[in-house]
Every structure is written in C-alpha cells, then in structure tokens.
Amino acid sequence: MSARKLVAGLGACAALLAATAGCGGSAPSGAAGAAAGRDSGPVRIGALHPVSGANAVDGQQMRRGAQMAVEALNAAGGIKSLGGRKVELETGDTQGKAEVGQSEAQRLISEGSVGLVGTYQSAVSTNVSVVAERNRVPFVMDVTASDAIFSHGYKYSFRVQPGSAAIAGAAARYLKEVSEKAGRPVKKVAFLHEQTDFGTGAAEAFAKAAKKLGIQMGPNISYDAVTASDLTAQITQVKASGADVLAVAGYYRDGLLAAKAINAVKPNLNAVWGVSDGAFDQPKFVSDVGSLGERYFSTNYHYDAKNPATAKLRAEYQKRYGAPMRTGAVLAYDAVQVIAQGVERAASTDPEKVRAAIAASQVQPLTVGTGPIAFAPNGDNKNALPVLMQVQNGQIKQVYPQDKAESQPNYSVTWRP
C-alpha cells in the first residue's frame, strides 16, 4: 500500500471514529428513532450544502435546486409505491466546514432522512460519506470532484457528476485535440490550483493524462482558496515559465482573483483552461469580470444545454429567483431524483433497501451524459460525461465534444488578456 493510500485510509477511519464510536459495531443508538421517523409522514431527504461562508451563493443555488426537485415529485403524485406519500427536504448548512457537515449529516439521519444529497466541497463530502456508511444511509453526491472517497469500498456513497480523474483526463485530451485542430498544438501547461484534495487531485490527474499525451507540464502552483486575496505572484510565476496554456482548478471567488491577476500580469498564453473549475463556466463569472473572461475554456460537468427539460427547469428557476440556474443546482435536482426514484423502486423507506434500489436504478439526467444516471460498483455514475465550455461573446457555450457542442471552440487566434 502506498503512503498516500495509507494516510487516506487512516484519515477515513479517524473520521469514522469521530462520527461514531469506532470502525465497526452496530448502528448508532439513535437508529430506532430515525426508523420511526421514516415510517410515517413525508419521505424525508436530507440536503447538505454551504449556504453560509465563502461558497454560500453556490450552496444556496443547490439547496434551491433540491427543493425544486421535491416540488416536482410532489406535483407528480409523490411516492406512488408508498400510496402517494409526499417528499420533504430537510436541510443542513455545512458552512463549508468538514466537521460541521459531519455533524449535520448525523442530525439529518437521526431525524429520519432516508438519504442525503450534497455537498459541493470534496473535503465535506469525505466526512459525510463516513457518516452515511456508518449509519447505512445512501449519500448521493451532486458536486464532489475528489475520487479518494470512492477508493474505500463504501457501499452507500454515490456520485452524479464525473469525478476528478475523468474530468482531468478529458480536459487534457480535449486540449490536445482542440489545439491541434486549430493548428496551434499545445506545448507546455502551467497548473494553478487551490490546495485541498479537490484542486490537488485535479492537478495530479491532469498532469498524469497530459504527460501520456506528450504535453509538457510545469510549474504546478497551489494556493489557499480560503485566505487568498490576490494571485498576482502566482500568475507572474506562470508568465516566467514560458507555458503557452494555463490550467486552473479552484472555486468561484479565487477564479475571479485569477482572472484579475491574468489581466494585470498579461502572461503570453494561447488559452486559459479550467479543469473542474468552479468559476469559468458560470454565467455570474461573465457578468462579474466582463471582457476579462472572454474565451476562457472550462472542462467540467454541465447542465445539458441541448435538453428541453433542462431548459424548462432553468427558465423556471430564473423566473422564480431572478438569477441563472447554475450547474450545481441542476446536479442537486438530479441527486434528489435519484434518491426519490430509489424509494419508489424499493417501495420502502428502509435506507438499506433504498440503497439497493439506487444501485440498480437508471435515472434520466438533466446534466450532460452518455445515457441515464447509472452507478458502477464503486458508486460512480458510469454515464457521466465531462464537456468543454467556453466564454463566447459574453455567454457560456458547450463547444466540445462535437455531439454536445452548441458552437465551435475558438482556439484559432492567439489569446491575450
């Protein structure tokens, strides 16, 4: 076993010890009360997102997306196999903190949630997955990029979005293909990323895939997304490196910082290439940075812009909340549907039966994929598909692969900030 895997395993066990009372044994003492809460009244689904703190905008979007899924389910007659029982969303604010997400997950389970969705941040999902496993309650991750969670053999963890390795691998492949088709083949990529499991995992997976494709990498530059207030020094390092492409993996706020620093430093780049980045494929990014973000690329999960059902949902969200519906909110909608259809299929609120039904289900997504949401043995959505997007004329457009494209990628003219 590698040192990294050993540390990961010890970390998972430590989280399990903190969340419960050990790495084995029977279900928590509150299980009887939780079971009683599930047996009558509405079918409760727990939603864990950061609705306060640095990522509150995304967290609030995702909570709203989950609530809209519940409303759609109830409007369609509730859980028909349970006599039309209504669905109710029980919410928890993770505050973007792993330990808070852990305690909130335990609370929602103790109050009778049949399953959990969340959490936007990989570090938080890591702790919540341990709580879910210990309590034998399904946890369907809407936004969680880190692949480490799915290396422990957990039975109750599922993920709707493509994982970090899948996105990073696609990002490297799309970069090589798009740049070569444009007659400007990529030569050297610098990677700027936030320093937690999310950003580090994206950088490592991209570098591994890029090297196999013959793409030179370096430098690899990390930063603390919580405390960073300026990324000028990091972008100056990129400029000095001679890289012709800058890959970025971070959250929304630091994505804005990166765009401002790129404009100030003006490195000699052919492209800025988001990899699971939380900013570059957001409509708000375009409105916040204006022309500074024009032609930025981003390889990520994405709502299916070519699906009429997705368009209808996003139009309703816009009408209701006065803001564009982000992909995270659509993924939260999909995740709630996965749990609800698991309950429907199981004809039960027993979380273990729901878990088995989820594992065997196929759910039509509103996000980009190669087919229905269907889970591999490790809990990953085997039909999830990363898509390449680009800011074009102030709008986010799907540009690659070709069968998912709304317009063509613009890599043909040297990009300058």
Side-chain angles (χ1 to χ4, degrees):
M1 176 183 291
S2 68
R4 182 169 185 174
K5 288 186 177 179
L6 176 60
V7 170
L10 291 172
C13 190
L16 186 55
L17 285 165
T20 60
C23 289
S26 59
S29 58
R38 289 190 291 264
D39 287 341
S40 61
V43 175
R44 298 176 179 88
I45 295 175
L48 291 160
H49 298 105
V51 296
S52 63
N55 296 301
V57 173
D58 282 290
Q60 187 64 53
Q61 279 248 348
M62 296 174 76
R63 178 180 285 185
R64 289 170 177 169
Q67 182 60 45
M68 291 178 76
V70 165
E71 292 172 8
L73 288 161
N74 289 334
I79 305 298
K80 297 178 178 63
S81 65
L82 295 178
R85 281 176 64 180
K86 298 300 183 182
V87 181
E88 184 176 282
L89 194 71
E90 300 291 338
T91 61
D93 179 9
T94 70
Q95 302 174 34
K97 300 174 182 177
E99 67 277 9
V100 175
Q102 177 177 298
S103 61
E104 284 292 272
Q106 187 62 60
R107 177 181 65 82
L108 292 177
I109 291 171
S110 298
E111 292 176 357
S113 291
V114 70
L116 304 175
V117 301
T119 66
Y120 184 67
Q121 291 155 296
S122 295
V124 179
S125 292
T126 296
N127 280 25
V128 173
S129 66
V130 174
V131 176
E133 193 73 14
R134 176 66 176 88
N135 287 271
R136 297 191 286 276
V137 170
F139 172 33
V140 180
M141 291 167 237
D142 36 36
V143 176
T144 294
S146 175
D147 293 319
I149 296 169
F150 298 89
S151 67
H152 300 305
Y154 292 161
K155 299 298 183 185
Y156 290 82
S157 290
F158 301 90
R159 175 168 58 184
V160 177
Q161 71 151 97
S164 181
I167 294 175
R173 187 171 68 254
Y174 295 168
L175 174 57
K176 182 177 176 64
E177 292 171 0
V178 168
S179 65
E180 288 181 349
K181 287 179 181 178
R184 308 181 68 85
V186 58
K187 296 177 181 177
K188 183 179 181 181
V189 178
F191 207 114
L192 176 70
H193 63 92
E194 66 85 37
Q195 66 186 16
T196 70
D197 286 351
F198 156 53
T200 300
E204 290 177 352
F206 182 91
K208 182 178 180 180
K211 288 175 182 177
K212 288 182 179 179
L213 294 170
I215 300 171
Q216 182 182 356
M217 294 296 302
N220 183 309
I221 308 168
S222 65
Y223 60 88
D224 186 339
V226 176
T227 62
S229 59
D230 184 272
L231 294 175
T232 301
Q234 289 85 348
I235 298 302
T236 299
Q237 187 179 349
V238 172
K239 183 176 183 178
S241 73
D244 58 303
V245 172
L246 171 61
V248 183
Y251 292 108
Y252 186 79
R253 187 184 71 87
D254 39 304
L256 298 182
L257 295 178
K260 292 175 181 177
I262 290 167
N263 183 62
V265 176
K266 293 181 168 46
N268 188 24
L269 300 171
N270 287 341
V272 176
W273 203 266
V275 181
S276 297
D277 189 75
F280 302 159
D281 55 10
Q282 300 291 356
K284 184 171 172 56
F285 174 75
V286 177
S287 61
D288 282 348
V289 304
S291 61
L292 302 187
E294 188 67 18
R295 294 189 56 202
Y296 275 40
F297 286 97
S298 180
T299 304
N300 217 334
Y301 49 80
H302 196 236
Y303 65 82
D304 190 347
K306 300 178 78 172
N307 184 339
T310 305
K312 181 179 179 181
L313 176 68
R314 296 188 72 246
E316 174 59 29
Y317 187 100
Q318 178 77 45
K319 178 181 178 182
R320 187 182 301 192
Y321 299 111
M325 188 180 194
R326 299 183 181 183
T327 298
V330 181
L331 281 163
Y333 186 101
D334 279 348
V336 169
Q337 292 285 346
V338 167
I339 293 179
Q341 291 193 38
V343 176
E344 184 74 66
R345 184 184 179 104
S348 172
T349 55
D350 180 335
E352 295 188 52
K353 294 180 180 178
V354 174
R355 180 263 163 212
I358 289 173
S361 293
Q362 293 194 352
V363 178
Q364 293 301 320
L366 299 183
T367 43
V368 173
T370 59
I373 297 170
F375 298 105
N378 73 337
D380 252 334
N381 175 11
K382 58 188 178 183
N383 290 325
L385 178 70
V387 64
L388 179 64
M389 293 154 283
Q390 187 179 30
V391 181
Q392 295 183 346
N393 299 318
Q395 294 184 313
I396 308 295
K397 294 291 186 180
Q398 291 173 193
V399 297
Y400 204 79
Q402 191 60 47
D403 64 337
K404 302 296 181 182
E406 300 172 273
S407 63
Q408 297 303 305
N410 184 357
Y411 199 101
S412 59
V413 180
T414 300
W415 180 90
R416 294 289 183 271

